[in-house]
Amino acid sequence: MKTHQTDRTRPRQECAHHRPRRLRATLLALTAASGLLLTACGAGDGSSSNTSDASNHTGFPAPAPATTSGGDNSSEQDGEQTGTPADKIAPSPDYLSTFALDVDTASYGYARRVLADGGRPDPSTIRPEEFVNSFRQDYERPDGNGFTVTVDGARTDKSNWSLVRVGLATRTADDNAERPPAALTFVIDVSGSMAETGRLDLAKKSLDEMTDRLRDDDSVALVTFSDEAETVLPMTRLDGHRGKVHDAIDELETQSSTNLGAGVETGYATATEGLRKGATNRVVLISDGLANTGDTSADSILERVADERRDHGITLFGVGVGSDYGDALMEKLADKGDGHTAYVSDDADARKVFVDQLPQNIDLTARDAKAQVAFDPETVAQFHLIGYEDRKVADDDFRDDNVDGGEIGPGHTVTALYAVRTRPGADGHLATASVRWLDPDSRAPHEESGQLETDALHDSLTDASDRFQVTAVAAYFADSLRSGDLPGNPGLTELATRAHALAKKTEDKDVRQLAEAIDEAARAD
């Protein structure tokens, strides 16, 4: 199965009515005149996925600038009826989908915690992209900064509906590789709610392990907050001072209420005061997100530190803890703070986030990264991006480098999954996916793209690579916890069977945990 090549794309948004035939003909004329070659694939199925610089114009269609229009209904136009649950997905107003990249995983981690405790996660906390991005993928990786683009797909049991996977991968994370020094400001919640087992004690253990893994040239500062915020340790170079950092961590004790706003503001002020030029400057916020004193709005909290974020490029890494967790606030803080979130419920999670994933959580390979997928109106009747509701970007802003995107580190993969309804008998070009990002140092823009043809779709999900199947199971699981209207969703019982089979085949403990979480959800259903 194939996929690839590159070129420049153009913007607009996803999901809703079709353009009239006349507009579609215009779009095709424009795309034929543009240029974009790329075939993408899943690396696990023996196929290849090549990329090349977006400035090299080639002979395949690039997405044209989108225009708004009324549209004829896709099912009427095709003479085909879409039944429940597929009819809950709105037809598309145009054929472009644009979003900021996101590597958050907290939604999945917290859902696992709630299910393990015998509960059922609130549907409002379920973000499918965070389920999908919690698992290892099979994408080819670039040698330097930037991304490779992989596009593949498989047909589902629902007539004419397929799942299309857009995969973006950065270079491999390497503990021993050269990287800029890190200047990390730990902002620790020491409010009364953090006294619960598995909160502050887990945070302290995590910070101790992370401190031991950082390099001598890295720097650490420590800020605590309860009803007020305090800088416990100013920015301190680790070389010869690790004991000083450990002592400050060991002395952390819970106090009273949660003034998260004061903590973030003091954290950024401390990070700015200890700013290191040429270093990765990051605030690491560890909290249960249960703000109850002072400013509790993510927008206004980060507006007060906007200058530090924009002028100095200080990013935010949020780590959630606790069985009662303020997911919405933590997720919004990370989005507004040009960063990402993870959730830690036990020692294994903590080791994964603070030790195993240390390089990708402290280094940057891309700033303001955005993706745009252009579907071919000749072959695609309808499409739906699964998740990313909070990360949508206006299509016309795809190449506006002043518009925020996602900050991505080494070792990260970003996966976007689409439900796509193809036209009956469709044959030919199906979709082109492009990613645009800024170099973390020079801020020079770059692009890569990938392409998928209809004949490259696998005949069924079980024919796809193991990693594609895990992606599909994770997305259907999130859908089951949230709405259950994704075409081809077989339900929790069948998903559990598939997940256990994949766990055995891949010998991946993360997939085994996914199977166990689905089991728990099925029992609670």
Side-chain angles (χ1 to χ4, degrees):
M1 167 189 148
K2 295 193 169 176
T3 29
H4 9 298
Q5 224 65 20
T6 69
D7 197 75
R8 302 193 177 256
T9 47
R10 201 54 211 168
R12 181 123 246 108
Q13 193 126 321
E14 72 102 5
C15 243
H17 295 0
H18 295 307
R19 302 179 179 195
R21 292 181 183 276
R22 179 168 53 81
L23 182 57
R24 190 165 61 214
T26 303
L27 175 63
L28 287 176
L30 288 167
T31 58
S34 298
L36 190 62
L37 172 63
L38 214 66
T39 32
C41 75
D45 58 5
S47 55
S48 63
S49 175
N50 297 333
T51 55
S52 62
D53 191 277
S55 61
N56 297 330
H57 291 269
T58 54
F60 275 77
T67 59
T68 56
S69 69
D72 44 5
N73 183 279
S74 60
S75 55
E76 293 174 353
Q77 186 173 325
D78 295 336
E80 177 190 343
Q81 296 301 314
T82 56
T84 303
D87 60 357
K88 294 182 182 178
I89 296 178
S92 307
D94 58 40
Y95 289 85
L96 291 173
S97 169
T98 309
F99 59 94
L101 300 199
D102 186 4
V103 292
D104 290 0
T105 59
S107 175
Y108 172 67
Y110 184 53
R112 276 185 50 223
R113 169 67 181 265
V114 173
L115 289 165
D117 288 346
R120 181 86 172 193
D122 187 319
S124 67
T125 68
I126 303 300
R127 294 182 291 279
E129 71 276 15
E130 298 187 23
F131 281 55
V132 165
N133 282 309
S134 293
F135 299 92
R136 183 166 58 87
Q137 293 289 0
D138 52 8
Y139 311 138
E140 181 182 343
R141 292 186 181 271
D143 294 328
N145 285 348
F147 297 87
T148 55
V149 181
T150 296
V151 191
D152 56 4
R155 302 184 189 278
T156 72
D157 294 338
K158 184 75 177 177
S159 177
N160 294 320
W161 282 95
S162 299
L163 293 182
V164 171
R165 179 179 66 160
V166 175
L168 311 171
T170 59
R171 60 178 165 80
T172 302
D174 183 355
D175 278 339
N176 299 315
E178 286 188 19
R179 63 164 173 81
L184 307 177
T185 301
F186 297 128
V187 179
I188 315 301
D189 186 346
V190 293
S191 62
S193 60
M194 291 290 288
E196 176 192 300
T197 301
R199 295 196 186 194
L200 185 58
D201 56 339
L202 185 58
K204 291 169 68 172
K205 184 174 182 179
S206 301
L207 289 178
D208 276 329
E209 290 194 0
M210 189 174 190
T211 299
D212 286 337
R213 288 295 296 272
L214 291 170
R215 301 176 183 178
D216 286 346
D217 194 33
D218 295 331
S219 301
V220 167
L222 190 62
V223 171
T224 61
F225 68 92
S226 178
D227 52 348
E228 295 180 347
E230 176 187 3
T231 300
V232 174
L233 182 73
M235 194 63 71
T236 302
R237 197 75 61 101
L238 285 177
D239 187 14
H241 299 100
R242 289 181 196 270
K244 190 175 183 180
V245 176
H246 285 302
D247 288 344
I249 293 170
D250 291 345
E251 290 174 5
L252 297 179
E253 293 181 351
T254 56
Q255 297 174 29
S256 53
S257 53
T258 311
N259 192 338
L260 194 149
V264 172
E265 187 169 11
T266 302
Y268 272 91
T270 302
T272 301
E273 186 176 338
L275 192 77
R276 291 182 60 183
K277 202 164 186 179
T280 301
N281 294 276
R282 176 161 290 185
V283 170
V284 181
L285 172 64
I286 303 178
S287 174
D288 57 16
L290 302 177
N292 55 27
T293 301
D295 197 343
T296 60
S297 163
D299 290 332
S300 58
I301 288 171
L302 285 173
E303 186 57 37
R304 297 204 306 270
V305 297
D307 290 344
E308 285 85 350
R309 291 191 296 121
R310 294 170 189 152
D311 297 345
H312 304 303
I314 300 172
T315 58
L316 178 67
F317 175 37
V319 182
V321 294
S323 57
D324 189 13
Y325 171 54
D327 168 80
L329 179 58
M330 289 289 283
E331 191 261 345
K332 196 165 187 179
L333 280 169
D335 283 352
K336 295 282 185 181
D338 298 330
H340 63 285
T341 61
Y343 179 83
V344 170
S345 63
D346 54 29
D347 289 348
D349 287 346
R351 180 166 185 80
K352 183 176 181 180
V353 169
F354 289 100
V355 178
D356 300 340
Q357 297 177 345
L358 181 64
Q360 65 199 60
N361 287 329
I362 65 171
D363 198 5
L364 281 178
T365 59
R367 286 188 183 273
D368 289 323
K370 292 170 283 197
Q372 185 172 86
V373 182
F375 291 93
D376 194 316
E378 287 296 293
T379 57
V380 174
Q382 196 175 345
F383 68 91
H384 173 66
L385 174 59
I386 302 169
Y388 289 95
E389 287 91 351
D390 296 338
R391 306 294 282 167
K392 288 182 181 179
V393 173
D395 295 326
D396 290 334
D397 288 338
F398 177 60
R399 289 201 175 82
D400 185 344
D401 296 325
N402 293 314
V403 173
D404 278 349
E407 272 56 43
I408 311 297
H412 275 138
T413 59
V414 180
T415 299
L417 202 64
Y418 287 85
V420 177
R421 185 167 70 86
T422 52
R423 300 186 184 280
D427 183 31
H429 177 252
L430 192 148
T432 297
S434 299
V435 58
R436 181 179 178 89
W437 73 96
L438 304 182
D439 181 273
D441 299 319
S442 69
R443 295 186 179 265
H446 301 274
E447 288 186 27
E448 294 286 352
S449 297
Q451 180 170 291
L452 180 66
E453 303 292 313
T454 55
D455 62 5
L457 291 171
H458 291 287
D459 290 335
S460 69
L461 291 176
T462 55
D463 289 338
S465 70
D466 292 342
R467 291 295 162 186
F468 187 103
Q469 292 183 59
V470 171
T471 300
V473 169
Y476 280 134
F477 180 36
D479 179 64
S480 296
L481 293 174
R482 189 167 71 160
S483 61
D485 60 4
L486 185 60
N489 190 336
L492 289 171
T493 301
E494 175 60 25
L495 284 176
T497 300
R498 294 184 190 181
H500 281 290
L502 287 166
K504 185 175 181 180
K505 191 174 181 182
T506 61
E507 298 182 340
D508 185 335
K509 65 179 179 61
D510 292 333
V511 181
R512 175 175 49 79
Q513 290 175 344
L514 171 63
E516 292 167 353
I518 298 173
D519 282 338
E520 288 158 349
R523 285 193 292 270
D525 208 20

mmCIF file with all atom_site columns, all heavy atoms in Angstrom, residues 352-369:
data_model
loop_
_atom_site.group_PDB
_atom_site.id
_atom_site.type_symbol
_atom_site.label_atom_id
_atom_site.label_alt_id
_atom_site.label_comp_id
_atom_site.label_asym_id
_atom_site.label_entity_id
_atom_site.label_seq_id
_atom_site.pdbx_PDB_ins_code
_atom_site.Cartn_x
_atom_site.Cartn_y
_atom_site.Cartn_z
_atom_site.occupancy
_atom_site.B_iso_or_equiv
_atom_site.pdbx_formal_charge
_atom_site.auth_seq_id
_atom_site.auth_comp_id
_atom_site.auth_asym_id
_atom_site.auth_atom_id
_atom_site.pdbx_PDB_model_num
ATOM 1   N N   . LYS A 1 352 ? 6.660  6.710  33.174 1.00 0.00 ? 352 LYS A N   1
ATOM 2   C CA  . LYS A 1 352 ? 6.497  6.890  31.733 1.00 0.00 ? 352 LYS A CA  1
ATOM 3   C C   . LYS A 1 352 ? 6.597  8.366  31.356 1.00 0.00 ? 352 LYS A C   1
ATOM 4   O O   . LYS A 1 352 ? 7.291  8.741  30.399 1.00 0.00 ? 352 LYS A O   1
ATOM 5   C CB  . LYS A 1 352 ? 5.141  6.323  31.296 1.00 0.00 ? 352 LYS A CB  1
ATOM 6   C CG  . LYS A 1 352 ? 4.875  6.392  29.801 1.00 0.00 ? 352 LYS A CG  1
ATOM 7   C CD  . LYS A 1 352 ? 3.546  5.721  29.483 1.00 0.00 ? 352 LYS A CD  1
ATOM 8   C CE  . LYS A 1 352 ? 3.244  5.748  27.990 1.00 0.00 ? 352 LYS A CE  1
ATOM 9   N NZ  . LYS A 1 352 ? 1.951  5.090  27.679 1.00 0.00 ? 352 LYS A NZ  1
ATOM 10  N N   . VAL A 1 353 ? 5.909  9.230  32.102 1.00 0.00 ? 353 VAL A N   1
ATOM 11  C CA  . VAL A 1 353 ? 5.855  10.652 31.768 1.00 0.00 ? 353 VAL A CA  1
ATOM 12  C C   . VAL A 1 353 ? 7.157  11.373 32.110 1.00 0.00 ? 353 VAL A C   1
ATOM 13  O O   . VAL A 1 353 ? 7.670  12.162 31.311 1.00 0.00 ? 353 VAL A O   1
ATOM 14  C CB  . VAL A 1 353 ? 4.671  11.326 32.494 1.00 0.00 ? 353 VAL A CB  1
ATOM 15  C CG1 . VAL A 1 353 ? 4.754  12.850 32.392 1.00 0.00 ? 353 VAL A CG1 1
ATOM 16  C CG2 . VAL A 1 353 ? 3.350  10.837 31.911 1.00 0.00 ? 353 VAL A CG2 1
ATOM 17  N N   . PHE A 1 354 ? 7.699  11.117 33.306 1.00 0.00 ? 354 PHE A N   1
ATOM 18  C CA  . PHE A 1 354 ? 8.835  11.901 33.783 1.00 0.00 ? 354 PHE A CA  1
ATOM 19  C C   . PHE A 1 354 ? 10.195 11.289 33.475 1.00 0.00 ? 354 PHE A C   1
ATOM 20  O O   . PHE A 1 354 ? 11.221 11.964 33.595 1.00 0.00 ? 354 PHE A O   1
ATOM 21  C CB  . PHE A 1 354 ? 8.718  12.127 35.286 1.00 0.00 ? 354 PHE A CB  1
ATOM 22  C CG  . PHE A 1 354 ? 7.624  13.087 35.663 1.00 0.00 ? 354 PHE A CG  1
ATOM 23  C CD1 . PHE A 1 354 ? 6.401  12.628 36.105 1.00 0.00 ? 354 PHE A CD1 1
ATOM 24  C CD2 . PHE A 1 354 ? 7.809  14.451 35.542 1.00 0.00 ? 354 PHE A CD2 1
ATOM 25  C CE1 . PHE A 1 354 ? 5.390  13.506 36.445 1.00 0.00 ? 354 PHE A CE1 1
ATOM 26  C CE2 . PHE A 1 354 ? 6.802  15.337 35.875 1.00 0.00 ? 354 PHE A CE2 1
ATOM 27  C CZ  . PHE A 1 354 ? 5.589  14.870 36.332 1.00 0.00 ? 354 PHE A CZ  1
ATOM 28  N N   . VAL A 1 355 ? 10.221 10.017 33.085 1.00 0.00 ? 355 VAL A N   1
ATOM 29  C CA  . VAL A 1 355 ? 11.499 9.361  32.801 1.00 0.00 ? 355 VAL A CA  1
ATOM 30  C C   . VAL A 1 355 ? 11.551 8.882  31.351 1.00 0.00 ? 355 VAL A C   1
ATOM 31  O O   . VAL A 1 355 ? 12.349 9.369  30.552 1.00 0.00 ? 355 VAL A O   1
ATOM 32  C CB  . VAL A 1 355 ? 11.743 8.184  33.770 1.00 0.00 ? 355 VAL A CB  1
ATOM 33  C CG1 . VAL A 1 355 ? 13.064 7.482  33.429 1.00 0.00 ? 355 VAL A CG1 1
ATOM 34  C CG2 . VAL A 1 355 ? 11.784 8.683  35.213 1.00 0.00 ? 355 VAL A CG2 1
ATOM 35  N N   . ASP A 1 356 ? 10.654 7.937  30.992 1.00 0.00 ? 356 ASP A N   1
ATOM 36  C CA  . ASP A 1 356 ? 10.710 7.360  29.648 1.00 0.00 ? 356 ASP A CA  1
ATOM 37  C C   . ASP A 1 356 ? 10.450 8.399  28.567 1.00 0.00 ? 356 ASP A C   1
ATOM 38  O O   . ASP A 1 356 ? 11.067 8.361  27.494 1.00 0.00 ? 356 ASP A O   1
ATOM 39  C CB  . ASP A 1 356 ? 9.693  6.218  29.504 1.00 0.00 ? 356 ASP A CB  1
ATOM 40  C CG  . ASP A 1 356 ? 9.947  5.083  30.485 1.00 0.00 ? 356 ASP A CG  1
ATOM 41  O OD1 . ASP A 1 356 ? 11.086 4.995  30.983 1.00 0.00 ? 356 ASP A OD1 1
ATOM 42  O OD2 . ASP A 1 356 ? 9.021  4.295  30.753 1.00 0.00 ? 356 ASP A OD2 1
ATOM 43  N N   . GLN A 1 357 ? 9.533  9.317  28.811 1.00 0.00 ? 357 GLN A N   1
ATOM 44  C CA  . GLN A 1 357 ? 9.176  10.323 27.811 1.00 0.00 ? 357 GLN A CA  1
ATOM 45  C C   . GLN A 1 357 ? 9.827  11.674 28.085 1.00 0.00 ? 357 GLN A C   1
ATOM 46  O O   . GLN A 1 357 ? 9.402  12.696 27.557 1.00 0.00 ? 357 GLN A O   1
ATOM 47  C CB  . GLN A 1 357 ? 7.648  10.494 27.763 1.00 0.00 ? 357 GLN A CB  1
ATOM 48  C CG  . GLN A 1 357 ? 6.918  9.239  27.325 1.00 0.00 ? 357 GLN A CG  1
ATOM 49  C CD  . GLN A 1 357 ? 5.404  9.396  27.361 1.00 0.00 ? 357 GLN A CD  1
ATOM 50  O OE1 . GLN A 1 357 ? 4.878  10.335 27.959 1.00 0.00 ? 357 GLN A OE1 1
ATOM 51  N NE2 . GLN A 1 357 ? 4.707  8.469  26.733 1.00 0.00 ? 357 GLN A NE2 1
ATOM 52  N N   . LEU A 1 358 ? 10.880 11.664 28.884 1.00 0.00 ? 358 LEU A N   1
ATOM 53  C CA  . LEU A 1 358 ? 11.531 12.922 29.265 1.00 0.00 ? 358 LEU A CA  1
ATOM 54  C C   . LEU A 1 358 ? 11.970 13.759 28.063 1.00 0.00 ? 358 LEU A C   1
ATOM 55  O O   . LEU A 1 358 ? 11.673 14.961 28.004 1.00 0.00 ? 358 LEU A O   1
ATOM 56  C CB  . LEU A 1 358 ? 12.722 12.638 30.189 1.00 0.00 ? 358 LEU A CB  1
ATOM 57  C CG  . LEU A 1 358 ? 13.496 13.861 30.687 1.00 0.00 ? 358 LEU A CG  1
ATOM 58  C CD1 . LEU A 1 358 ? 12.608 14.737 31.556 1.00 0.00 ? 358 LEU A CD1 1
ATOM 59  C CD2 . LEU A 1 358 ? 14.741 13.437 31.461 1.00 0.00 ? 358 LEU A CD2 1
ATOM 60  N N   . PRO A 1 359 ? 12.657 13.180 27.057 1.00 0.00 ? 359 PRO A N   1
ATOM 61  C CA  . PRO A 1 359 ? 13.117 14.023 25.940 1.00 0.00 ? 359 PRO A CA  1
ATOM 62  C C   . PRO A 1 359 ? 11.974 14.747 25.233 1.00 0.00 ? 359 PRO A C   1
ATOM 63  O O   . PRO A 1 359 ? 12.082 15.947 24.933 1.00 0.00 ? 359 PRO A O   1
ATOM 64  C CB  . PRO A 1 359 ? 13.815 13.023 25.009 1.00 0.00 ? 359 PRO A CB  1
ATOM 65  C CG  . PRO A 1 359 ? 14.223 11.898 25.895 1.00 0.00 ? 359 PRO A CG  1
ATOM 66  C CD  . PRO A 1 359 ? 13.118 11.790 26.908 1.00 0.00 ? 359 PRO A CD  1
ATOM 67  N N   . GLN A 1 360 ? 10.871 14.041 24.956 1.00 0.00 ? 360 GLN A N   1
ATOM 68  C CA  . GLN A 1 360 ? 9.794  14.692 24.214 1.00 0.00 ? 360 GLN A CA  1
ATOM 69  C C   . GLN A 1 360 ? 9.015  15.686 25.059 1.00 0.00 ? 360 GLN A C   1
ATOM 70  O O   . GLN A 1 360 ? 8.340  16.573 24.517 1.00 0.00 ? 360 GLN A O   1
ATOM 71  C CB  . GLN A 1 360 ? 8.853  13.641 23.625 1.00 0.00 ? 360 GLN A CB  1
ATOM 72  C CG  . GLN A 1 360 ? 8.083  12.807 24.626 1.00 0.00 ? 360 GLN A CG  1
ATOM 73  C CD  . GLN A 1 360 ? 7.553  11.535 23.990 1.00 0.00 ? 360 GLN A CD  1
ATOM 74  O OE1 . GLN A 1 360 ? 8.310  10.708 23.494 1.00 0.00 ? 360 GLN A OE1 1
ATOM 75  N NE2 . GLN A 1 360 ? 6.237  11.367 24.004 1.00 0.00 ? 360 GLN A NE2 1
ATOM 76  N N   . ASN A 1 361 ? 9.114  15.565 26.368 1.00 0.00 ? 361 ASN A N   1
ATOM 77  C CA  . ASN A 1 361 ? 8.394  16.488 27.241 1.00 0.00 ? 361 ASN A CA  1
ATOM 78  C C   . ASN A 1 361 ? 9.193  17.731 27.618 1.00 0.00 ? 361 ASN A C   1
ATOM 79  O O   . ASN A 1 361 ? 8.642  18.657 28.225 1.00 0.00 ? 361 ASN A O   1
ATOM 80  C CB  . ASN A 1 361 ? 7.930  15.761 28.501 1.00 0.00 ? 361 ASN A CB  1
ATOM 81  C CG  . ASN A 1 361 ? 6.783  14.810 28.228 1.00 0.00 ? 361 ASN A CG  1
ATOM 82  O OD1 . ASN A 1 361 ? 5.969  15.047 27.338 1.00 0.00 ? 361 ASN A OD1 1
ATOM 83  N ND2 . ASN A 1 361 ? 6.713  13.712 28.974 1.00 0.00 ? 361 ASN A ND2 1
ATOM 84  N N   . ILE A 1 362 ? 10.487 17.769 27.279 1.00 0.00 ? 362 ILE A N   1
ATOM 85  C CA  . ILE A 1 362 ? 11.272 18.960 27.605 1.00 0.00 ? 362 ILE A CA  1
ATOM 86  C C   . ILE A 1 362 ? 11.920 19.603 26.388 1.00 0.00 ? 362 ILE A C   1
ATOM 87  O O   . ILE A 1 362 ? 12.363 20.740 26.452 1.00 0.00 ? 362 ILE A O   1
ATOM 88  C CB  . ILE A 1 362 ? 12.369 18.665 28.655 1.00 0.00 ? 362 ILE A CB  1
ATOM 89  C CG1 . ILE A 1 362 ? 13.416 17.698 28.109 1.00 0.00 ? 362 ILE A CG1 1
ATOM 90  C CG2 . ILE A 1 362 ? 11.759 18.146 29.934 1.00 0.00 ? 362 ILE A CG2 1
ATOM 91  C CD1 . ILE A 1 362 ? 14.619 17.543 29.029 1.00 0.00 ? 362 ILE A CD1 1
ATOM 92  N N   . ASP A 1 363 ? 11.978 18.889 25.264 1.00 0.00 ? 363 ASP A N   1
ATOM 93  C CA  . ASP A 1 363 ? 12.617 19.428 24.064 1.00 0.00 ? 363 ASP A CA  1
ATOM 94  C C   . ASP A 1 363 ? 11.546 19.787 23.031 1.00 0.00 ? 363 ASP A C   1
ATOM 95  O O   . ASP A 1 363 ? 10.403 19.330 23.123 1.00 0.00 ? 363 ASP A O   1
ATOM 96  C CB  . ASP A 1 363 ? 13.580 18.388 23.484 1.00 0.00 ? 363 ASP A CB  1
ATOM 97  C CG  . ASP A 1 363 ? 14.592 18.998 22.524 1.00 0.00 ? 363 ASP A CG  1
ATOM 98  O OD1 . ASP A 1 363 ? 14.608 20.231 22.385 1.00 0.00 ? 363 ASP A OD1 1
ATOM 99  O OD2 . ASP A 1 363 ? 15.359 18.224 21.915 1.00 0.00 ? 363 ASP A OD2 1
ATOM 100 N N   . LEU A 1 364 ? 11.899 20.589 22.054 1.00 0.00 ? 364 LEU A N   1
ATOM 101 C CA  . LEU A 1 364 ? 10.977 20.971 20.986 1.00 0.00 ? 364 LEU A CA  1
ATOM 102 C C   . LEU A 1 364 ? 11.619 20.707 19.632 1.00 0.00 ? 364 LEU A C   1
ATOM 103 O O   . LEU A 1 364 ? 12.803 20.999 19.430 1.00 0.00 ? 364 LEU A O   1
ATOM 104 C CB  . LEU A 1 364 ? 10.614 22.459 21.077 1.00 0.00 ? 364 LEU A CB  1
ATOM 105 C CG  . LEU A 1 364 ? 9.568  22.889 22.102 1.00 0.00 ? 364 LEU A CG  1
ATOM 106 C CD1 . LEU A 1 364 ? 9.407  24.413 22.047 1.00 0.00 ? 364 LEU A CD1 1
ATOM 107 C CD2 . LEU A 1 364 ? 8.240  22.209 21.851 1.00 0.00 ? 364 LEU A CD2 1
ATOM 108 N N   . THR A 1 365 ? 10.828 20.160 18.708 1.00 0.00 ? 365 THR A N   1
ATOM 109 C CA  . THR A 1 365 ? 11.290 20.029 17.329 1.00 0.00 ? 365 THR A CA  1
ATOM 110 C C   . THR A 1 365 ? 10.429 20.850 16.374 1.00 0.00 ? 365 THR A C   1
ATOM 111 O O   . THR A 1 365 ? 10.802 21.036 15.223 1.00 0.00 ? 365 THR A O   1
ATOM 112 C CB  . THR A 1 365 ? 11.260 18.555 16.877 1.00 0.00 ? 365 THR A CB  1
ATOM 113 O OG1 . THR A 1 365 ? 9.916  18.069 16.982 1.00 0.00 ? 365 THR A OG1 1
ATOM 114 C CG2 . THR A 1 365 ? 12.166 17.695 17.737 1.00 0.00 ? 365 THR A CG2 1
ATOM 115 N N   . ALA A 1 366 ? 9.276  21.325 16.828 1.00 0.00 ? 366 ALA A N   1
ATOM 116 C CA  . ALA A 1 366 ? 8.391  22.109 15.964 1.00 0.00 ? 366 ALA A CA  1
ATOM 117 C C   . ALA A 1 366 ? 7.517  23.029 16.807 1.00 0.00 ? 366 ALA A C   1
ATOM 118 O O   . ALA A 1 366 ? 7.021  22.624 17.858 1.00 0.00 ? 366 ALA A O   1
ATOM 119 C CB  . ALA A 1 366 ? 7.513  21.182 15.121 1.00 0.00 ? 366 ALA A CB  1
ATOM 120 N N   . ARG A 1 367 ? 7.332  24.240 16.320 1.00 0.00 ? 367 ARG A N   1
ATOM 121 C CA  . ARG A 1 367 ? 6.427  25.197 16.962 1.00 0.00 ? 367 ARG A CA  1
ATOM 122 C C   . ARG A 1 367 ? 5.241  25.480 16.048 1.00 0.00 ? 367 ARG A C   1
ATOM 123 O O   . ARG A 1 367 ? 5.356  25.446 14.826 1.00 0.00 ? 367 ARG A O   1
ATOM 124 C CB  . ARG A 1 367 ? 7.156  26.519 17.264 1.00 0.00 ? 367 ARG A CB  1
ATOM 125 C CG  . ARG A 1 367 ? 8.132  26.448 18.425 1.00 0.00 ? 367 ARG A CG  1
ATOM 126 C CD  . ARG A 1 367 ? 8.643  27.850 18.748 1.00 0.00 ? 367 ARG A CD  1
ATOM 127 N NE  . ARG A 1 367 ? 9.636  27.828 19.822 1.00 0.00 ? 367 ARG A NE  1
ATOM 128 C CZ  . ARG A 1 367 ? 9.339  27.872 21.121 1.00 0.00 ? 367 ARG A CZ  1
ATOM 129 N NH1 . ARG A 1 367 ? 8.074  27.929 21.500 1.00 0.00 ? 367 ARG A NH1 1
ATOM 130 N NH2 . ARG A 1 367 ? 10.289 27.858 22.026 1.00 0.00 ? 367 ARG A NH2 1
ATOM 131 N N   . ASP A 1 368 ? 4.110  25.781 16.679 1.00 0.00 ? 368 ASP A N   1
ATOM 132 C CA  . ASP A 1 368 ? 2.903  26.203 15.950 1.00 0.00 ? 368 ASP A CA  1
ATOM 133 C C   . ASP A 1 368 ? 2.590  25.291 14.770 1.00 0.00 ? 368 ASP A C   1
ATOM 134 O O   . ASP A 1 368 ? 2.343  25.741 13.645 1.00 0.00 ? 368 ASP A O   1
ATOM 135 C CB  . ASP A 1 368 ? 3.047  27.654 15.475 1.00 0.00 ? 368 ASP A CB  1
ATOM 136 C CG  . ASP A 1 368 ? 2.983  28.628 16.646 1.00 0.00 ? 368 ASP A CG  1
ATOM 137 O OD1 . ASP A 1 368 ? 2.206  28.372 17.575 1.00 0.00 ? 368 ASP A OD1 1
ATOM 138 O OD2 . ASP A 1 368 ? 3.707  29.638 16.632 1.00 0.00 ? 368 ASP A OD2 1
ATOM 139 N N   . ALA A 1 369 ? 2.597  23.990 15.050 1.00 0.00 ? 369 ALA A N   1
ATOM 140 C CA  . ALA A 1 369 ? 2.348  23.005 13.996 1.00 0.00 ? 369 ALA A CA  1
ATOM 141 C C   . ALA A 1 369 ? 0.847  22.835 13.760 1.00 0.00 ? 369 ALA A C   1
ATOM 142 O O   . ALA A 1 369 ? 0.065  22.698 14.703 1.00 0.00 ? 369 ALA A O   1
ATOM 143 C CB  . ALA A 1 369 ? 2.979  21.667 14.367 1.00 0.00 ? 369 ALA A CB  1
#
